[in-house]
Amino acid sequence: METKGTDEVEKLKSKFMSAWHNVKYSWALKTKTAFSRNSPVFLLGKCYHFKAVDDESPTESSTADALDDDVVVMGNVDGFRRDFTSRVWLTYREELPALPGSTLTSDCGWGCTLRAGQMVLSQALLLHILGRDWTWAEALTLEPLDTETWTSSAARKLVATLEASVQGERAQVTQPHCSSQGRAEEADSYLKEAYHRTIVSWFGDGPLAQLGIHRLVQLGLTSGKQAGDWYGPAVVAHILRKAVDGATDPMLKGLSVYVAQDCTVYSADVIDSHLGQTGSHSNPQGLNTGAAPGSRAVIILIPVRLGGEKINTEYFSFVKSILSLEYCIGIIGGKPKQAYYFVGFQDDSLIYLDPHYCQSFVDVSTSNFPLQSYHCPSPKKMAFNKMDPSCTIGFYSKNIEHYERISSQLSKILQPSSKEKYPAFTFMKGHGKDYELSVSVEKREWPFIKDTRKAGATSGDFVLL
């Protein structure tokens, strides 16, 4: 009888916390992100300059302008906006089907690292299927999230309005535009948009989604994690590996995930992953998987520690170098108590996508589900010195030759400085088993990661979109 009473109390606590988190993360704060016109902006290997070529005014060029301001477009601002907004944005969701092993119907307050991991994986899939130059045709039509302060109900109404508006524009404008471009371009555009929609659907918030939150939570159970627990970036890397390995969609059979062991990438293991594709994994649809016949692409995830309690300033230039590489798919990182998806930088600030925003469940099983909530038009910045030293770095390698170039280039970047004697990670020849590694990171949380859910949160802990 006492056990039953305890269970009821836990259920009530769970429901209360879920309701509180849904309210807490359903607000968008009215803030603007400033970008300097003088300094280049790097976004997943691409460089953008906001200063116009003919802009020689020292006063004007030295000011920092918010991208959301209604100002004259300078330099390549639109190019950056389009590129950033085209990245897949995965956030907290509410009103979900119950998560495995629990009664929770939302991941608010605890699933941010899983969401950041999903975003790293989604970027790899965009590279794998669509290429780095792909951008979403509707990227510049989205309204900035921080132009108004809203609740989740108001947000849902706005999304519905935007959706109706976009659908109306499609009916009136899209068809004539496509017909003028020729059938080949129209077919290519349609195919790419179908792939885009398919990629997003893999991260849907339901039990059937190949890479969705339900699937990740289910796989986390084998590592001792449950829905509602806090997940570290190293554990998430292993969960992502299992999710991709277990995916049944034919389009996902052209790649695998390799997770570095103890900050070491073993080249023979990566090459084996590249050679792991069999005849049964062939692509009957002729999809561009990014891998040569008989070879599959590999997503390389490297859990690292960039300092002690705080990030070591000697690693700032290293992180910049990593995010300047086009085959980098971003970093699962953040600052203490919350995870972000780092995608770029300007000067001494990181640019990131924030999963700490609660949105409503979207049924991705429908043929024309709304995509607006899966793309963020408002970039955020954070000072490098606020970065938590615990993170997971991701790379995409499409074949063995590509991996050899990656390892060669990274080995040069990883050369330790005079002050920092140890590189963030290393490359080794041979297999991991040759070095008798027996401790699996996925079976334990890293000792320097603490369960921050017990710590009191302050009003300055969260940057809400």
Side-chain angles (χ1 to χ4, degrees), residues 88 122 125-131 134 136 187-203 249-252 283-290 367 369 371 375:
V88 177
S122 70
L125 290 168
L126 290 177
L127 284 178
H128 185 61
I129 296 173
L130 295 171
W134 173 86
W136 186 32
D188 181 66
S189 177
Y190 179 84
L191 188 62
K192 287 182 177 179
E193 184 55 27
Y195 291 155
H196 168 215
R197 188 172 290 275
T198 297
I199 291 171
V200 173
S201 72
W202 286 331
F203 296 95
D249 193 300
M251 293 174 66
L252 288 170
N283 175 28
Q285 301 175 351
L287 176 67
N288 176 21
T289 63
S367 60
F369 65 89
L371 287 165
H375 293 278

Side-chain angles (χ1 to χ4, degrees), residues 43-109:
L43 178 66
L44 295 170
K46 285 189 175 292
C47 181
Y48 295 92
H49 294 271
F50 296 159
K51 181 180 179 181
V53 176
D54 58 351
D55 183 6
E56 298 179 354
S57 171
T59 303
E60 185 177 4
S61 64
S62 63
T63 59
D65 294 281
L67 287 182
D68 298 331
D69 283 345
D70 294 326
V71 297
V72 178
V73 174
M74 304 296 294
N76 202 11
V77 174
D78 272 359
F80 171 77
R81 288 187 190 215
R82 185 181 296 107
D83 193 358
F84 178 86
T85 305
S86 297
R87 299 316 104 201
V88 177
W89 182 41
L90 298 160
T91 72
Y92 291 154
R93 296 276 175 172
E94 60 180 333
E95 303 170 1
L96 311 180
L99 291 160
S102 76
T103 59
L104 295 177
T105 57
S106 171
D107 64 318
C108 284

Side-chain angles (χ1 to χ4, degrees), residues 120-341:
V120 164
L121 193 53
S122 70
Q123 176 59 19
L125 290 168
L126 290 177
L127 284 178
H128 185 61
I129 296 173
L130 295 171
R132 182 62 185 90
D133 292 331
W134 173 86
T135 55
W136 186 32
E138 299 179 23
L140 296 182
T141 68
L142 295 186
E143 292 292 332
L145 292 176
D146 49 9
T147 55
E148 297 289 344
T149 300
W150 52 14
T151 62
S152 57
S153 59
R156 285 194 290 272
K157 292 179 182 178
L158 179 57
V159 169
T161 302
L162 287 173
E163 181 186 356
S165 174
V166 171
Q167 294 296 336
E169 290 175 3
R170 281 178 178 171
Q172 299 174 21
V173 180
T174 304
Q175 186 59 36
H177 174 73
C178 290
S179 62
S180 67
Q181 299 299 316
R183 294 181 179 178
E185 290 187 11
E186 180 182 357
D188 181 66
S189 177
Y190 179 84
L191 188 62
K192 287 182 177 179
E193 184 55 27
Y195 291 155
H196 168 215
R197 188 172 290 275
T198 297
I199 291 171
V200 173
S201 72
W202 286 331
F203 296 95
D205 298 300
L208 299 180
Q210 303 276 306
L211 307 172
I213 190 75
H214 290 72
R215 177 66 174 155
L216 301 187
V217 169
Q218 181 68 50
L219 293 171
L221 294 175
T222 62
S223 299
K225 294 293 182 182
Q226 300 180 33
D229 287 346
W230 190 86
Y231 296 71
V235 169
V236 167
H238 285 278
I239 291 175
L240 296 177
R241 174 183 60 79
K242 291 180 180 180
V244 173
D245 286 349
T248 58
D249 193 300
M251 293 174 66
L252 288 170
K253 292 297 185 180
L255 78 166
S256 63
V257 175
Y258 169 83
V259 181
Q261 305 175 66
D262 295 332
C263 301
T264 304
V265 178
Y266 293 93
S267 293
D269 289 332
V270 177
I271 292 173
D272 284 350
S273 295
H274 274 301
L275 296 173
Q277 185 161 320
T278 63
S280 62
H281 293 164
S282 61
N283 175 28
Q285 301 175 351
L287 176 67
N288 176 21
T289 63
S295 174
R296 60 180 173 182
V298 178
I299 299 168
I300 303 171
L301 299 178
I302 310 173
V304 296
R305 179 79 179 179
L306 304 179
E309 290 296 320
K310 297 182 178 180
I311 186 171
N312 189 325
T313 56
E314 293 298 317
Y315 285 116
F316 289 179
S317 60
F318 163 75
V319 174
K320 291 181 180 181
S321 297
I322 291 298
L323 292 172
S324 301
L325 303 172
E326 196 161 312
Y327 49 83
C328 175
I329 55 176
I331 299 174
I332 305 171
K335 60 183 181 180
K337 302 182 182 179
Q338 55 201 303
Y340 297 146
Y341 170 42

